[in-house]
Amino acid sequence: MKIAIQGVTGAFHEIAAREYFGKDVETLNCEQFKDVFNSVENTTADFGIAAIENTIAGSILENYLLLKKSKLKVIGELNLHITQNLMALPGTRIDDITEVYSHPIAIQQSKDFFDNYPNIKMINWSDTASAAQKVADEKLAHTAAIASEYAAELYGLQILARNIQTHKQNFTRFLALSRSAVDVPENNKASICFELTHQPGSLVDVLGVFKNNNINLTKIQSLPIVGSPFQYAFYVDLEWTERNNFDRAISKVLNLVSNLSVLGEYKAADRVS
């Protein structure tokens, strides 16, 4: 089984792929998220994994747009505990560091730690693991990376500081992607996208349908509709205990919206606390 991920070996996406699909899967490393979606669509990979939100950095808006644009379906989700670590070549001291490479979200997650090191320059990189790989392969002195402990082990780097993320309860939610939906009795969650007409109270009417059918909204995200100035699409995650309630709610909502897409139905991941 081949799983498309964003990033190189050692990236959090690889960790998520192996936790969700199993330790023995093969990963296909992609430079950008759009490459993950394309790889699954063109059958280069069997499935894909893509982060959709983080408890510190918030939503990854690019992936909402890619999900709507693509023909892929969400078939599952995973909440992965993220711990960020500062790493460098063996023998390096933290006071020797002048530059740090990492993914922008990892840098954002660790911002408070670096307030104590104002002389360190933060440099955005494509992903956490490739930042660690760069430091190791190019033997960059006075340079560090922010990445997982797994990446430090893979690339032979020394961890200078562990768990440097500002909030220790740092989780990223990943979506498992497939070319086809998986309809199983365990499914109790759906991700949908809908658009509304310009009528007063139209969003309230839709949300009221879900409330009246005992559907729990766990996430709502609005994004501009490209080509339609100041109009928005709403991306909503829904959970239910009775499948009939979801089916009945969707049937009613179809009469209230101008467009609706079910992006996937799947089993909700265990809640984090």
Side-chain angles (χ1 to χ4, degrees), residues 108-257:
Q108 182 179 350
Q109 291 170 355
S110 311
K111 183 179 180 298
D112 286 1
F113 176 85
F114 290 100
D115 285 345
N116 298 318
Y117 301 94
N119 295 327
I120 293 180
K121 180 181 179 182
M122 310 303 295
I123 301 174
N124 292 339
W125 203 244
S126 56
D127 74 271
T128 55
S130 66
Q133 184 182 43
K134 176 181 176 66
V135 172
D137 289 352
E138 299 179 21
K139 301 190 184 316
L140 298 178
H142 310 295
T143 304
I146 304 170
S148 67
E149 183 176 353
Y150 175 43
E153 295 173 358
L154 281 174
Y155 298 112
L157 297 180
Q158 174 186 339
I159 294 181
L160 307 181
R162 298 178 185 274
N163 297 336
I164 65 173
Q165 66 275 8
T166 301
H167 300 283
K168 304 313 174 187
Q169 290 294 81
N170 181 19
F171 289 85
T172 295
R173 177 176 167 235
F174 293 86
L175 300 180
L177 307 171
S178 174
R179 288 183 294 276
S180 57
V182 177
D183 185 13
V184 296
E186 293 79 17
N187 287 349
N188 64 345
K189 187 171 183 177
S191 294
I192 68 172
C193 176
F194 59 83
E195 299 168 13
L196 297 169
T197 58
H198 280 295
Q199 299 294 327
S202 56
L203 179 58
V204 173
D205 291 341
V206 171
L207 300 183
V209 170
F210 293 130
K211 178 181 184 297
N212 293 336
N213 284 277
N214 296 315
I215 304 296
N216 184 31
L217 274 67
T218 59
K219 177 72 183 292
I220 183 167
Q221 176 74 53
S222 64
L223 286 176
I225 300 172
V226 178
S228 299
F230 305 112
Q231 295 187 41
Y232 297 86
F234 295 88
Y235 297 79
V236 178
D237 292 332
L238 309 164
E239 289 187 18
W240 62 83
T241 54
E242 296 291 336
R243 172 66 195 227
N244 288 340
N245 290 344
F246 172 70
D247 292 336
R248 184 167 53 250
I250 291 296
S251 178
K252 292 182 178 180
V253 166
L254 282 170
N255 297 318
L256 300 174
V257 301

Side-chain angles (χ1 to χ4, degrees), residues 96-108:
D96 299 330
I97 301 301
T98 59
E99 294 182 339
V100 171
Y101 286 79
S102 196
H103 190 278
I105 291 179
I107 291 174
Q108 182 179 350

